[in-house]
Amino acid sequence: MANSKEKSYWPHMILGFLGIGIMLGYWTISSAIHMPVNESNAFQSKYQQADMHINEIIEAQQRFDAKYRITLLDIHPSDFQPNKFLKRKHGEILALQKKNHLRYKVETLSGEAVNDANVSFLLTRPHTVADDQKFDALKADQGIYRVDFDLEKAGRYTLRLRVQKGDAIGFVGYEAYLKP
């Protein structure tokens, strides 16, 4: 028979591991709560709304593409090269300055200027909404909608334009880069 005065540390170890597990669980949840979650703004709406109405968005884009065309004027390509190991494809990356003046031309497929469209512009950065600049109800001059904005931070930006004419909605987006 074993000596009853010998102490066993197994219950203490089990309670210690349980305490460590509870502390790590609390740390994981509290750090996840404090992490910022930024929503996609590809269609200038919350991603839940875009997800629920994606079929209507696609149909509105098709109606727009069947009647209208959006062209970015005064394109200045950037010499910025994205990480060569990224798997996603990049379009042309535009060069931005500290002070920017962008002009978008909206016209019918036959070349007539569209001056009465509801146009909004969103300047955003990938993975954050902290520096977003949104311009609503842009005015047209002979079908050309102008956006003026200033930038302070260098890095990648995304230029998103939304044009609504009746039940047709067109979206265009461009990647851009501001050198340090």
Side-chain angles (χ1 to χ4, degrees):
M1 190 174 221
N3 188 353
S4 63
K5 296 204 180 224
E6 286 183 27
K7 292 196 173 188
S8 174
Y9 292 102
W10 280 105
H12 299 292
M13 264 181 24
I14 291 172
L15 287 176
F17 285 135
L18 185 62
I20 289 172
I22 290 172
M23 286 182 357
L24 287 175
Y26 174 78
W27 175 76
T28 301
I29 291 171
S30 67
S31 64
I33 287 172
H34 292 91
M35 287 291 217
V37 177
N38 297 310
E39 298 180 353
S40 171
N41 51 20
F43 300 106
Q44 293 189 12
S45 64
K46 292 186 174 247
Y47 75 93
Q48 294 98 333
Q49 293 297 320
D51 191 41
M52 287 189 326
H53 302 290
I54 191 64
N55 290 331
E56 291 90 358
I57 292 171
I58 291 171
E59 290 170 2
Q61 177 78 49
Q62 289 171 344
R63 286 190 296 270
F64 187 89
D65 292 341
K67 298 176 185 176
Y68 307 103
R69 172 179 40 238
I70 303 171
T71 309
L72 175 60
L73 305 175
D74 305 326
I75 295 176
H76 303 289
S78 173
D79 57 356
F80 171 74
Q81 294 297 317
N83 186 337
K84 64 181 177 180
F85 298 109
L86 290 178
K87 301 255 189 263
R88 69 183 181 99
K89 294 181 181 178
H90 289 275
E92 184 177 25
I93 299 176
L94 308 176
L96 293 176
Q97 309 298 322
K98 295 283 184 182
K99 293 186 178 289
N100 295 279
H101 313 285
L102 297 179
R103 297 182 310 144
Y104 288 92
K105 184 174 186 178
V106 180
E107 60 188 351
T108 63
L109 293 180
S110 62
E112 298 173 26
V114 177
N115 291 315
D116 58 344
N118 181 4
V119 178
S120 60
F121 175 80
L122 176 67
L123 172 73
T124 185
R125 296 184 68 131
H127 312 300
T128 183
V129 295
D131 301 317
D132 282 7
Q133 296 181 39
K134 186 168 183 181
F135 303 88
D136 289 319
L138 299 176
K139 302 295 180 203
D141 181 24
Q142 298 176 2
I144 297 176
Y145 295 82
R146 184 179 167 129
V147 182
D148 299 321
F149 57 90
D150 297 333
L151 297 175
E152 295 177 15
K153 295 181 181 177
R156 292 177 48 211
Y157 287 88
T158 304
L159 313 173
R160 299 200 186 279
L161 190 77
R162 179 183 184 271
V163 179
Q164 181 172 2
K165 178 81 167 132
D167 64 346
I169 303 174
F171 299 95
V172 293
Y174 297 95
E175 293 186 42
Y177 185 73
L178 176 63
K179 285 185 179 183

